[in-house]
Amino acid sequence: MGVVVIYFISGYAAKTNLLKKGRAIVIDKSNRLKSLPSPKIVLVGGSNICYGINAKLLQDSLQIPVVDMSINAGIGMSFYYQQIKPFLKSGDIVIGIPEYAAYSHTNIYGEAFLYDLCTIEAENYKYLVAMQWLRFPMFMGETIKSNMSSLSLKKESNHIHGRQLYDTFGSYFGHRNQTFDSTKFISSQKTENYKNKSNQIIQPSFIKLVSDFNTFCRQKQVTYLHSVPVYAKIYYDSSYMSGIFKKLNGVNIINKPERYLYEMNEMFDTPNHILFSFKQDRTIKLLFDIRQALQKNR
């Protein structure tokens, strides 16, 4: 009980600074989602989206309002799907682009990042499913620690992933001047190299999550398009993705992974984050795939 009290007190004390952090962009993204008319396009998934897609270019090219709801893969795809469900209407288009880790070892229910969003904006509690409430005590200490460290945040400019580094559409631009960082990149090799058999175990829970959301969309007359993320070519394994395609039978996967592979020095800190200079290239590829998929659905 004492930990719960500390959790709420620390969140309240740190609120001003928490609202400056990048994760607080959940408020702006949510407000945009609620305000957009239908039909609209909603992007959901991890940071491979907001770091690597130009949502404004998508909107201008397709002439359909776009909102990028992505923040971080650690939030878990369950939350992303639950968060947008109440605001989807007939004619809307949802494009899901989870990182490859979501299929294998990232928990669908999220980690501490998820509960940070609830501290920042209490509305997010209502999107938690039963399992996320049961998991909450596991991450309460980490969330308290995050709240306490946020108390020392004095200026937005001191925080590289600040809320002010997202545009109106939800796309992140804070990595404009970032270059390839081999130290950070190599440190992620153990969990990100899909040539390792240990990383190729596909979670049935994730497949079910996507399939259930796909069914939900059909019932609401919403188009669900499932896309592959960008990824570092050096860590990609085609047999892993082939296994995913087979298990996602019935879900409209709109592209081929090989078109979205980049060289290691074309990423900046992880195999999921392309350099800012390649953002338009990736977006143009996605535009082509979206158009093709929508034409087939007519």
Side-chain angles (χ1 to χ4, degrees):
M1 184 63 182
V3 176
V4 176
V5 172
I6 295 172
Y7 164 76
F8 282 106
I9 290 176
S10 67
Y12 178 80
K15 191 66 176 282
T16 299
N17 286 339
L18 288 173
L19 290 174
K20 299 174 184 177
K21 295 182 73 171
R23 291 164 204 167
I25 195 65
V26 67
I27 298 172
D28 305 318
K29 289 175 183 264
S30 180
N31 287 340
R32 180 169 174 80
L33 173 68
K34 295 171 186 176
S35 68
L36 289 182
S38 295
K40 59 182 174 287
I41 293 176
V42 184
L43 305 177
V44 288
S47 56
N48 88 89
I49 300 177
C50 58
Y51 279 60
I53 292 177
N54 184 335
K56 182 181 186 300
L57 178 56
L58 284 183
Q59 176 169 302
D60 292 346
S61 301
L62 296 170
Q63 293 296 294
I64 304 173
V66 175
V67 57
D68 174 353
M69 296 301 292
S70 69
I71 301 176
N72 182 294
I75 290 167
M77 285 300 294
S78 174
F79 176 83
Y80 284 124
Y81 286 144
Q82 291 296 327
Q83 182 190 25
I84 67 174
K85 277 182 177 180
F87 309 103
L88 296 178
K89 296 181 175 64
S90 176
D92 287 345
I93 301 165
V94 178
I95 304 174
I97 319 178
E99 278 83 0
Y100 287 125
Y103 299 94
S104 58
H105 52 264
T106 298
N107 197 297
I108 65 170
Y109 300 116
E111 308 295 339
F113 296 108
L114 170 64
Y115 304 102
D116 288 344
L117 299 191
C118 296
T119 305
I120 289 167
E121 180 62 34
E123 179 186 51
N124 292 317
Y125 283 116
K126 69 182 182 183
Y127 304 126
L128 302 185
V129 298
M131 182 57 72
Q132 288 164 325
W133 283 108
L134 290 173
R135 286 165 56 84
F136 198 178
M138 293 170 54
F139 301 104
M140 199 167 286
E142 193 171 341
T143 304
I144 291 171
K145 185 178 179 181
S146 176
N147 291 344
M148 298 305 290
S149 65
S150 295
L151 288 170
S152 64
L153 180 64
K154 296 180 180 179
K155 295 181 180 179
E156 289 185 29
S157 59
N158 289 340
H159 195 73
I160 192 170
H161 300 295
R163 182 178 176 180
Q164 78 281 8
L165 299 177
Y166 290 81
D167 66 21
T168 304
F169 303 87
S171 298
Y172 181 73
F173 59 84
H175 58 313
R176 281 180 298 192
N177 299 317
Q178 293 285 322
T179 56
F180 172 60
D181 188 331
S182 60
T183 303
K184 288 183 179 178
F185 194 97
I186 293 171
S187 69
S188 65
Q189 181 176 0
K190 184 176 180 181
T191 55
E192 293 287 359
N193 188 352
Y194 290 95
K195 293 178 180 179
N196 294 336
K197 297 300 180 184
S198 60
N199 289 335
Q200 295 185 9
I201 301 171
I202 301 170
Q203 300 185 86
S205 58
F206 184 73
I207 300 300
K208 185 177 186 305
L209 179 73
V210 176
S211 298
D212 288 350
F213 183 74
N214 185 52
T215 300
F216 169 86
C217 287
R218 285 179 179 172
Q219 293 170 346
K220 296 277 289 187
Q221 296 184 308
V222 170
T223 299
Y224 181 65
L225 306 177
H226 199 75
S227 173
V228 299
V230 291
Y231 202 66
K233 186 185 298 183
I234 191 172
Y235 293 155
Y236 176 74
D237 186 272
S238 59
S239 61
Y240 173 61
M241 197 62 208
S242 295
I244 291 170
F245 280 2
K246 289 179 182 177
K247 291 181 182 296
L248 283 176
N249 184 38
V251 176
N252 189 358
I253 301 174
I254 65 172
N255 37 35
K256 295 183 179 180
E258 289 74 17
R259 291 183 64 232
Y260 291 85
L261 298 179
Y262 289 80
E263 300 298 335
M264 186 161 58
N265 61 2
E266 294 173 337
M267 323 300 285
F268 71 93
D269 64 346
T270 78
N272 304 289
H273 293 160
I274 52 173
L275 292 170
F276 186 85
S277 57
F278 289 94
K279 197 171 188 175
Q280 181 157 326
D281 174 75
R282 189 262 185 102
T283 304
I284 291 172
K285 290 176 183 176
L286 183 61
L287 267 169
F288 176 84
D289 294 335
I290 293 171
R291 286 193 174 111
Q292 291 285 98
L294 293 179
Q295 285 177 0
K296 289 178 182 177
N297 285 348
R298 287 176 182 170

PDB file of all heavy atoms in Angstrom, residues 83-102:
ATOM      1  N   GLN A  83      -6.029   1.726 -27.271  1.00  0.00           N
ATOM      2  CA  GLN A  83      -6.105   3.184 -27.228  1.00  0.00           C
ATOM      3  C   GLN A  83      -6.896   3.762 -28.403  1.00  0.00           C
ATOM      4  O   GLN A  83      -7.624   4.750 -28.247  1.00  0.00           O
ATOM      5  CB  GLN A  83      -4.684   3.762 -27.233  1.00  0.00           C
ATOM      6  CG  GLN A  83      -4.607   5.282 -27.149  1.00  0.00           C
ATOM      7  CD  GLN A  83      -3.201   5.790 -27.396  1.00  0.00           C
ATOM      8  OE1 GLN A  83      -2.391   5.141 -28.060  1.00  0.00           O
ATOM      9  NE2 GLN A  83      -2.883   6.952 -26.845  1.00  0.00           N
ATOM     10  N   ILE A  84      -6.772   3.147 -29.579  1.00  0.00           N
ATOM     11  CA  ILE A  84      -7.418   3.724 -30.761  1.00  0.00           C
ATOM     12  C   ILE A  84      -8.820   3.177 -31.019  1.00  0.00           C
ATOM     13  O   ILE A  84      -9.613   3.807 -31.716  1.00  0.00           O
ATOM     14  CB  ILE A  84      -6.549   3.534 -32.023  1.00  0.00           C
ATOM     15  CG1 ILE A  84      -6.441   2.055 -32.416  1.00  0.00           C
ATOM     16  CG2 ILE A  84      -5.162   4.151 -31.805  1.00  0.00           C
ATOM     17  CD1 ILE A  84      -5.726   1.818 -33.738  1.00  0.00           C
ATOM     18  N   LYS A  85      -9.147   2.018 -30.443  1.00  0.00           N
ATOM     19  CA  LYS A  85     -10.440   1.371 -30.734  1.00  0.00           C
ATOM     20  C   LYS A  85     -11.644   2.292 -30.570  1.00  0.00           C
ATOM     21  O   LYS A  85     -12.524   2.319 -31.439  1.00  0.00           O
ATOM     22  CB  LYS A  85     -10.617   0.135 -29.847  1.00  0.00           C
ATOM     23  CG  LYS A  85      -9.940  -1.121 -30.362  1.00  0.00           C
ATOM     24  CD  LYS A  85     -10.231  -2.296 -29.438  1.00  0.00           C
ATOM     25  CE  LYS A  85      -9.627  -3.588 -29.942  1.00  0.00           C
ATOM     26  NZ  LYS A  85      -9.932  -4.732 -29.030  1.00  0.00           N
ATOM     27  N   PRO A  86     -11.757   3.058 -29.470  1.00  0.00           N
ATOM     28  CA  PRO A  86     -12.976   3.872 -29.280  1.00  0.00           C
ATOM     29  C   PRO A  86     -13.158   4.963 -30.331  1.00  0.00           C
ATOM     30  O   PRO A  86     -14.259   5.505 -30.466  1.00  0.00           O
ATOM     31  CB  PRO A  86     -12.764   4.497 -27.890  1.00  0.00           C
ATOM     32  CG  PRO A  86     -11.747   3.636 -27.222  1.00  0.00           C
ATOM     33  CD  PRO A  86     -10.854   3.161 -28.315  1.00  0.00           C
ATOM     34  N   PHE A  87     -12.100   5.282 -31.073  1.00  0.00           N
ATOM     35  CA  PHE A  87     -12.147   6.421 -31.985  1.00  0.00           C
ATOM     36  C   PHE A  87     -12.138   6.020 -33.461  1.00  0.00           C
ATOM     37  O   PHE A  87     -12.010   6.866 -34.335  1.00  0.00           O
ATOM     38  CB  PHE A  87     -10.980   7.363 -31.673  1.00  0.00           C
ATOM     39  CG  PHE A  87     -10.889   7.713 -30.220  1.00  0.00           C
ATOM     40  CD1 PHE A  87      -9.942   7.114 -29.399  1.00  0.00           C
ATOM     41  CD2 PHE A  87     -11.790   8.597 -29.650  1.00  0.00           C
ATOM     42  CE1 PHE A  87      -9.876   7.406 -28.054  1.00  0.00           C
ATOM     43  CE2 PHE A  87     -11.742   8.896 -28.300  1.00  0.00           C
ATOM     44  CZ  PHE A  87     -10.781   8.305 -27.488  1.00  0.00           C
ATOM     45  N   LEU A  88     -12.270   4.710 -33.709  1.00  0.00           N
ATOM     46  CA  LEU A  88     -12.300   4.220 -35.079  1.00  0.00           C
ATOM     47  C   LEU A  88     -13.733   4.172 -35.591  1.00  0.00           C
ATOM     48  O   LEU A  88     -14.634   3.709 -34.900  1.00  0.00           O
ATOM     49  CB  LEU A  88     -11.664   2.829 -35.168  1.00  0.00           C
ATOM     50  CG  LEU A  88     -10.176   2.745 -34.831  1.00  0.00           C
ATOM     51  CD1 LEU A  88      -9.686   1.304 -34.899  1.00  0.00           C
ATOM     52  CD2 LEU A  88      -9.346   3.629 -35.766  1.00  0.00           C
ATOM     53  N   LYS A  89     -13.900   4.672 -36.822  1.00  0.00           N
ATOM     54  CA  LYS A  89     -15.221   4.686 -37.450  1.00  0.00           C
ATOM     55  C   LYS A  89     -15.134   4.064 -38.831  1.00  0.00           C
ATOM     56  O   LYS A  89     -14.050   3.914 -39.392  1.00  0.00           O
ATOM     57  CB  LYS A  89     -15.750   6.117 -37.536  1.00  0.00           C
ATOM     58  CG  LYS A  89     -15.987   6.774 -36.185  1.00  0.00           C
ATOM     59  CD  LYS A  89     -16.525   8.187 -36.359  1.00  0.00           C
ATOM     60  CE  LYS A  89     -16.873   8.814 -35.007  1.00  0.00           C
ATOM     61  NZ  LYS A  89     -15.708   8.987 -34.149  1.00  0.00           N
ATOM     62  N   SER A  90     -16.280   3.704 -39.365  1.00  0.00           N
ATOM     63  CA  SER A  90     -16.349   3.106 -40.696  1.00  0.00           C
ATOM     64  C   SER A  90     -15.595   3.968 -41.715  1.00  0.00           C
ATOM     65  O   SER A  90     -15.784   5.192 -41.754  1.00  0.00           O
ATOM     66  CB  SER A  90     -17.805   2.959 -41.123  1.00  0.00           C
ATOM     67  OG  SER A  90     -17.899   2.461 -42.440  1.00  0.00           O
ATOM     68  N   GLY A  91     -14.761   3.331 -42.506  1.00  0.00           N
ATOM     69  CA  GLY A  91     -13.989   4.041 -43.525  1.00  0.00           C
ATOM     70  C   GLY A  91     -12.582   4.388 -43.101  1.00  0.00           C
ATOM     71  O   GLY A  91     -11.745   4.746 -43.935  1.00  0.00           O
ATOM     72  N   ASP A  92     -12.293   4.288 -41.800  1.00  0.00           N
ATOM     73  CA  ASP A  92     -10.938   4.574 -41.316  1.00  0.00           C
ATOM     74  C   ASP A  92      -9.966   3.488 -41.762  1.00  0.00           C
ATOM     75  O   ASP A  92     -10.368   2.364 -42.085  1.00  0.00           O
ATOM     76  CB  ASP A  92     -10.919   4.681 -39.786  1.00  0.00           C
ATOM     77  CG  ASP A  92     -11.551   5.969 -39.275  1.00  0.00           C
ATOM     78  OD1 ASP A  92     -11.745   6.890 -40.086  1.00  0.00           O
ATOM     79  OD2 ASP A  92     -11.848   6.034 -38.066  1.00  0.00           O
ATOM     80  N   ILE A  93      -8.694   3.844 -41.749  1.00  0.00           N
ATOM     81  CA  ILE A  93      -7.624   2.911 -42.120  1.00  0.00           C
ATOM     82  C   ILE A  93      -6.605   2.876 -40.993  1.00  0.00           C
ATOM     83  O   ILE A  93      -6.087   3.927 -40.588  1.00  0.00           O
ATOM     84  CB  ILE A  93      -6.931   3.351 -43.427  1.00  0.00           C
ATOM     85  CG1 ILE A  93      -7.941   3.440 -44.580  1.00  0.00           C
ATOM     86  CG2 ILE A  93      -5.792   2.394 -43.782  1.00  0.00           C
ATOM     87  CD1 ILE A  93      -7.415   4.209 -45.789  1.00  0.00           C
ATOM     88  N   VAL A  94      -6.324   1.701 -40.487  1.00  0.00           N
ATOM     89  CA  VAL A  94      -5.283   1.529 -39.468  1.00  0.00           C
ATOM     90  C   VAL A  94      -4.118   0.788 -40.110  1.00  0.00           C
ATOM     91  O   VAL A  94      -4.306  -0.230 -40.773  1.00  0.00           O
ATOM     92  CB  VAL A  94      -5.799   0.724 -38.254  1.00  0.00           C
ATOM     93  CG1 VAL A  94      -4.666   0.522 -37.241  1.00  0.00           C
ATOM     94  CG2 VAL A  94      -6.980   1.434 -37.603  1.00  0.00           C
ATOM     95  N   ILE A  95      -2.917   1.322 -39.909  1.00  0.00           N
ATOM     96  CA  ILE A  95      -1.709   0.670 -40.418  1.00  0.00           C
ATOM     97  C   ILE A  95      -0.841   0.288 -39.227  1.00  0.00           C
ATOM     98  O   ILE A  95      -0.324   1.153 -38.518  1.00  0.00           O
ATOM     99  CB  ILE A  95      -0.932   1.586 -41.378  1.00  0.00           C
ATOM    100  CG1 ILE A  95      -1.852   2.043 -42.519  1.00  0.00           C
ATOM    101  CG2 ILE A  95       0.303   0.865 -41.927  1.00  0.00           C
ATOM    102  CD1 ILE A  95      -1.230   3.063 -43.449  1.00  0.00           C
ATOM    103  N   GLY A  96      -0.741  -1.007 -38.984  1.00  0.00           N
ATOM    104  CA  GLY A  96       0.053  -1.513 -37.869  1.00  0.00           C
ATOM    105  C   GLY A  96       1.462  -1.860 -38.345  1.00  0.00           C
ATOM    106  O   GLY A  96       1.618  -2.613 -39.303  1.00  0.00           O
ATOM    107  N   ILE A  97       2.462  -1.299 -37.653  1.00  0.00           N
ATOM    108  CA  ILE A  97       3.855  -1.566 -38.031  1.00  0.00           C
ATOM    109  C   ILE A  97       4.676  -1.874 -36.772  1.00  0.00           C
ATOM    110  O   ILE A  97       5.466  -1.039 -36.303  1.00  0.00           O
ATOM    111  CB  ILE A  97       4.490  -0.387 -38.797  1.00  0.00           C
ATOM    112  CG1 ILE A  97       3.506   0.214 -39.814  1.00  0.00           C
ATOM    113  CG2 ILE A  97       5.785  -0.835 -39.489  1.00  0.00           C
ATOM    114  CD1 ILE A  97       4.053   1.405 -40.570  1.00  0.00           C
ATOM    115  N   PRO A  98       4.488  -3.041 -36.189  1.00  0.00           N
ATOM    116  CA  PRO A  98       5.273  -3.396 -34.996  1.00  0.00           C
ATOM    117  C   PRO A  98       6.712  -3.754 -35.371  1.00  0.00           C
ATOM    118  O   PRO A  98       6.965  -4.213 -36.486  1.00  0.00           O
ATOM    119  CB  PRO A  98       4.540  -4.618 -34.448  1.00  0.00           C
ATOM    120  CG  PRO A  98       3.889  -5.218 -35.654  1.00  0.00           C
ATOM    121  CD  PRO A  98       3.530  -4.089 -36.558  1.00  0.00           C
ATOM    122  N   GLU A  99       7.638  -3.544 -34.445  1.00  0.00           N
ATOM    123  CA  GLU A  99       9.010  -4.009 -34.654  1.00  0.00           C
ATOM    124  C   GLU A  99       9.037  -5.530 -34.649  1.00  0.00           C
ATOM    125  O   GLU A  99       8.129  -6.176 -34.119  1.00  0.00           O
ATOM    126  CB  GLU A  99       9.930  -3.467 -33.558  1.00  0.00           C
ATOM    127  CG  GLU A  99      10.419  -2.045 -33.779  1.00  0.00           C
ATOM    128  CD  GLU A  99       9.427  -0.985 -33.335  1.00  0.00           C
ATOM    129  OE1 GLU A  99       8.337  -1.350 -32.851  1.00  0.00           O
ATOM    130  OE2 GLU A  99       9.719   0.204 -33.473  1.00  0.00           O
ATOM    131  N   TYR A 100      10.083  -6.122 -35.202  1.00  0.00           N
ATOM    132  CA  TYR A 100      10.184  -7.580 -35.238  1.00  0.00           C
ATOM    133  C   TYR A 100      10.215  -8.170 -33.829  1.00  0.00           C
ATOM    134  O   TYR A 100       9.735  -9.286 -33.612  1.00  0.00           O
ATOM    135  CB  TYR A 100      11.429  -8.004 -36.024  1.00  0.00           C
ATOM    136  CG  TYR A 100      11.286  -7.788 -37.515  1.00  0.00           C
ATOM    137  CD1 TYR A 100      12.213  -7.039 -38.224  1.00  0.00           C
ATOM    138  CD2 TYR A 100      10.207  -8.328 -38.212  1.00  0.00           C
ATOM    139  CE1 TYR A 100      12.074  -6.825 -39.589  1.00  0.00           C
ATOM    140  CE2 TYR A 100      10.058  -8.134 -39.566  1.00  0.00           C
ATOM    141  CZ  TYR A 100      10.995  -7.377 -40.260  1.00  0.00           C
ATOM    142  OH  TYR A 100      10.844  -7.172 -41.608  1.00  0.00           O
ATOM    143  N   ALA A 101      10.751  -7.431 -32.878  1.00  0.00           N
ATOM    144  CA  ALA A 101      10.808  -7.936 -31.498  1.00  0.00           C
ATOM    145  C   ALA A 101       9.421  -8.177 -30.924  1.00  0.00           C
ATOM    146  O   ALA A 101       9.251  -9.010 -30.037  1.00  0.00           O
ATOM    147  CB  ALA A 101      11.579  -6.953 -30.618  1.00  0.00           C
ATOM    148  N   ALA A 102       8.423  -7.467 -31.434  1.00  0.00           N
ATOM    149  CA  ALA A 102       7.056  -7.641 -30.938  1.00  0.00           C
ATOM    150  C   ALA A 102       6.545  -9.055 -31.207  1.00  0.00           C
ATOM    151  O   ALA A 102       5.735  -9.589 -30.452  1.00  0.00           O
ATOM    152  CB  ALA A 102       6.121  -6.625 -31.587  1.00  0.00           C
TER     153      ALA A 102
END
